[in-house]
Amino acid sequence: MAYPTVSAGPGPARPGLPDDPLARAAAPTPGCPVEVALDALRGRWTTLVIRELLRGTHTFGELAAALPDLSDKVLTDRLHRLAATGVVHRDRAPGWPTTVSYRLTARGQALGPVLQALWEWGAAD
Amino acid sequence: MAYPTVSAGPGPARPGLPDDPLARAAAPTPGCPVEVALDALRGRWTTLVIRELLRGTHTFGELAAALPDLSDKVLTDRLHRLAATGVVHRDRAPGWPTTVSYRLTARGQALGPVLQALWEWGAAD
DNA sequence: CAGCATCCATTCAGATACTG
DNA sequence: CAGTATCTGAATGGATGCTG
């Protein structure tokens, strides 16, 4: 075989890409881990919202203030989507007017190295 | 400050996210390295095309055969986009009918670890 | 404060048919 | 063989106005 593991170089086969049997999908499937991750990051503003939350817990209003050009509708959408994928945790405080704070879950924190890898690739010439 | 570097834990500040001064953008910008990387990976089928090329050089027809449900139009679009972002190199052989082969550039090979990071995050419960 | 409802412009991907 | 051209439907994102 001429190209047993092009991506890994001369080392042993690594789990994941492109050696993993799951990496044989002939079409995009929602179960593919890469698809799962890219889906979690998908959408304009998504990574900026995550970046703000990597710096700490924020309320909806604080996020809106940090990203002034992001509309309420899209911010709501992003936070709901991130909650659905288990990246953020939503905490509604009792009282009036309601304040809602968002923080990253452990899974969300784990996105740090992923974003780091993306950053490093994008920053390289 | 309560949250100097949530993502990095107790270690020293790392370059990149979220400590890098460039990571202060208040809106999505094409120059942000994370945007650059996600833009390179954006679009349905894109990562599958890259995965095939991680296994070695392929002609247009080989890629089409490996991904039978991917239309010519979208495959062309993906390859052109990947060439524009410096991920793949296009090599048109002389003669008729023309055969065109594609291989990853060094920059394209460098996507291996990035996809690996995405895979690992997506595969984790 | 933290959203939801509605409308609209743009982008995207798949299907089909044709060409250097 | 390796594309290009055109069309259509679906998804996306922004603006505006209203509500628990």
Side-chain angles (χ1 to χ4, degrees):
Chain A
M1 289 194 192
Y3 300 104
T5 306
V6 173
S7 69
R14 297 176 304 171
L17 272 156
D19 302 302
D20 198 291
L22 283 173
R24 306 259 163 207
T29 78
C32 169
V34 172
E35 298 278 319
V36 169
L38 287 177
D39 189 64
L41 299 176
R42 188 179 54 185
R44 205 156 125 84
W45 297 97
T46 301
T47 55
L48 292 181
V49 172
I50 295 171
R51 184 198 67 191
E52 291 306 313
L53 291 174
L54 277 171
R55 293 177 173 146
T57 302
H58 290 278
T59 65
F60 185 92
E62 287 169 347
L63 290 169
L67 303 169
D69 292 341
L70 172 56
S71 72
D72 286 4
K73 180 210 165 196
V74 175
L75 178 54
T76 297
D77 180 88
R78 291 300 173 268
L79 289 169
H80 283 200
R81 176 187 284 270
L82 290 170
T85 52
V87 170
V88 309
H89 177 254
R90 187 169 181 272
D91 190 13
R92 181 196 308 242
W96 184 269
T98 32
T99 60
V100 181
S101 53
Y102 294 90
R103 63 176 174 79
L104 293 178
T105 62
R107 185 166 171 73
Q109 298 278 344
L111 277 174
V114 176
L115 292 171
Q116 186 76 26
L118 289 164
W119 176 287
E120 279 161 10
W121 189 87
D125 179 49
Chain B
M1 299 227 171
Y3 300 103
T5 308
V6 174
S7 69
R14 298 177 303 171
L17 274 155
D19 302 302
D20 197 292
L22 282 173
R24 305 260 164 203
T29 77
C32 169
V34 173
E35 298 278 318
V36 169
L38 287 176
D39 188 65
L41 299 175
R42 187 178 54 186
R44 204 157 126 84
W45 297 97
T46 301
T47 56
L48 292 182
V49 171
I50 294 171
R51 182 199 68 192
E52 290 306 313
L53 292 173
L54 278 170
R55 291 176 173 146
T57 302
H58 290 277
T59 65
F60 185 92
E62 286 169 347
L63 290 169
L67 303 168
D69 293 339
L70 171 57
S71 71
D72 286 3
K73 180 210 161 195
V74 174
L75 178 54
T76 297
D77 180 86
R78 293 299 173 270
L79 289 169
H80 282 200
R81 177 186 284 269
L82 289 170
T85 52
V87 170
V88 309
H89 178 255
R90 187 168 181 271
D91 191 13
R92 181 197 305 245
W96 183 268
T98 33
T99 61
V100 180
S101 53
Y102 293 89
R103 62 174 175 80
L104 293 178
T105 61
R107 184 166 172 75
Q109 299 277 343
L111 277 174
V114 176
L115 292 171
Q116 185 76 26
L118 289 165
W119 177 287
E120 279 162 11
W121 188 87
D125 181 46

